[in-house]
Amino acid sequence: MGLFARFFGFKTAVAVYTRPEPINAGPAEAIPAVVRATNLISADIARLPVMVHDSEGNPIPDHPVSMMLSRDASRWQSGYEFRRYTTATALTTGNGLAIIRRASDGSVAELQPVPADAMSGEIKEDGVEYSIGNLRLTSDQVLHVGCYPDPLNPVWFRSPIEVARHAFQLAADENGAHAALVRTGSMGKIAISHPGAMSDQTVQAIRDAWMNMHATADGASRPLILREGMKAEKISQETSTSMLESRRFSVQEIARAFGVPPEMLFQQGGGALASQAETARAYTDGAISAWATAWESELTRKLCGPGEHVRFDVTPLLRGNLRDQGMSYSKLVLAGIMSPNDARHALGLPRLEGLDDPEVTMPGGASAATGPTETSETESEDA
């Protein structure tokens, strides 16, 4: 007598196995696209050249603020590390904060970074008041860079992860589902049937055996042995294609929330930009410009003197490849719009003697490089 024949007459002989692993979504900050977007924006803000200008727009060499943001921001961090940390904190929590420590003469001595969850802000009669435990700080004692404004608190900000939390949670759930699928051998839901009947104990024994032998990452390669007319049938299909499509869409949603072109998150075919230059321009306009302006405004307001203002130079992000730069600067130099040394300086090359003055050496002058102006077109029609 076979094993299952002893249980005839007790139970319909079908045992259904489904994935036993609970889906562990994990934090949204751990999604690779979020890690990439956060690191990309914060690192680019940290490496941009910073200069303080006077009221006439002339750069002020060796200004204390620009020196601090380019060299040492404090005893703990360089200027690069400080800008990167503060921007990354603002991207993930909404608020990047630092205590402004001043010398006895009132000048800025250092910028001390503060974890975002250690400080809160509140509007008072005399202005914004920040709190760290029992310590109270006024607005001019705190450097505060934020992401999306909080509608319920004018002095506080929210992160893209919080504002678009449903899209980020979906991406985290997809990561968790994919991990569970891999751990269980990508089998989906299986029904095992027998022509006879099985008791509850036998059904449980078959289920346990299946889970131990086949519902694992290496179980998919193990041979399936069925006896006494038993059959196994897949009743649901979890395809990798549909999951990859869903995850690709989530990457595009994350890119939208951060203002970054999907191509810069290594998402192939995610956007409609045709060239590297267009991608760099979209990235600079959509993400970096807003962050640079936020930094400029806060630094100018709290660290600069009357008539002074801070400027972040985003030119390094717009240079594109060397071929495109060479063609562009060549036309500008030949048209007399730039001097050769101006072009060399933009390319990061040292200046050469006697190349400081622009000269028109292209037929048609400036209009050959920039195109005809509206005035010249009107004069041509009148003629």
Side-chain angles (χ1 to χ4, degrees):
M1 180 181 293
L3 172 64
F4 299 104
R6 292 178 293 174
F7 302 100
F8 277 19
F10 291 95
K11 204 79 172 175
T12 302
V14 178
V16 178
Y17 162 75
T18 186
R19 180 169 55 240
E21 291 282 345
I23 295 178
N24 183 13
E29 294 86 348
I31 300 172
V34 176
V35 174
R36 167 63 178 168
T38 302
N39 182 67
L40 182 69
I41 296 174
S42 60
D44 280 339
I45 286 293
R47 71 185 180 95
L48 290 179
V50 182
M51 184 64 69
V52 179
H53 295 255
D54 59 23
S55 58
E56 297 181 357
N58 300 315
I60 304 175
D62 299 332
H63 191 280
V65 174
S66 60
M67 297 293 288
M68 182 177 296
L69 295 175
S70 301
R71 295 187 180 180
D72 291 327
S74 66
R75 292 165 286 175
W76 307 277
Q77 290 179 316
S78 66
Y80 172 86
E81 293 168 341
F82 170 74
R83 282 191 275 167
R84 187 180 185 185
Y85 172 81
T86 306
T87 305
T89 304
L91 283 164
T92 53
T93 67
N95 300 273
L97 301 156
I99 297 176
I100 303 172
R101 296 192 177 275
R102 301 182 183 273
S104 56
D105 60 356
S107 61
V108 180
E110 60 184 10
L111 300 171
Q112 178 182 344
V114 178
D117 58 355
M119 183 179 287
S120 61
E122 185 180 1
I123 294 180
K124 297 288 187 178
E125 185 67 26
D126 298 331
V128 179
E129 180 181 87
Y130 293 91
S131 302
I132 304 179
N134 295 326
L135 178 64
R136 300 293 183 265
L137 300 171
T138 59
S139 177
D140 61 349
Q141 295 176 295
V142 177
L143 190 72
H144 188 182
V145 179
C147 194
Y148 292 107
D150 186 347
L152 303 179
N153 189 347
V155 301
W156 215 240
F157 298 87
R158 305 167 70 192
S159 71
I161 299 174
E162 182 184 2
V163 174
R165 58 186 176 276
H166 297 299
F168 283 84
Q169 187 59 52
L170 176 61
D173 290 342
E174 289 169 349
N175 279 356
H178 184 72
L181 188 64
V182 172
R183 284 196 299 269
T184 56
S186 304
M187 284 292 187
K189 185 177 289 187
I190 303 295
I192 299 176
S193 60
H194 187 274
M198 295 182 290
S199 69
D200 292 337
Q201 293 85 354
T202 303
V203 172
Q204 185 61 44
I206 295 174
R207 182 181 290 112
D208 292 342
W210 179 275
M211 291 167 58
N212 292 333
M213 292 296 295
H214 300 287
T216 60
D218 58 348
S221 61
R222 293 173 181 165
L224 176 62
I225 301 175
L226 300 175
R227 299 177 179 178
E228 302 182 3
M230 296 178 64
K231 295 181 180 180
E233 181 182 1
K234 182 174 290 189
I235 60 176
S236 69
Q237 182 74 25
E238 299 185 28
T239 63
S240 58
T241 302
S242 60
M243 180 166 288
L244 288 176
E245 286 295 330
S246 179
R247 297 183 73 183
R248 185 177 293 112
F249 175 76
S250 290
V251 172
Q252 295 178 8
E253 292 288 89
I254 292 171
R256 292 187 184 100
F258 281 99
V260 176
E263 293 88 348
M264 302 197 74
L265 302 185
F266 301 109
Q267 176 61 64
Q268 298 299 324
L273 302 176
S275 67
Q276 180 182 357
E278 290 181 2
T279 301
R281 170 61 68 180
Y283 168 60
T284 303
D285 291 343
I288 296 300
S289 293
W291 283 103
T293 302
W295 273 95
E296 292 170 354
S297 175
E298 189 71 357
L299 292 169
T300 300
R301 177 169 166 249
K302 296 182 179 179
L303 302 184
C304 290
E308 299 175 343
H309 56 273
V310 178
R311 286 291 177 266
F312 279 58
D313 183 10
V314 299
T315 304
L317 302 178
L318 299 173
R319 286 175 178 170
N321 57 51
L322 186 60
R323 181 179 65 85
D324 293 339
Q325 292 182 68
M327 293 177 61
S328 176
Y329 288 130
S330 175
K331 289 183 178 180
L332 293 174
V333 170
L334 292 175
I337 298 174
M338 297 178 68
S339 71
N341 272 339
D342 292 335
R344 292 180 62 85
H345 176 70
L347 292 170
L349 300 174
R351 294 181 176 272
L352 296 178
E353 184 90 19
L355 298 179
D356 290 325
D357 298 325
E359 294 183 5
V360 179
T361 57
M362 176 188 291
S367 62
T370 61
T373 62
E374 183 178 351
T375 303
S376 62
E377 291 178 352
T378 304
E379 292 177 351
S380 177
E381 292 176 358
D382 293 341

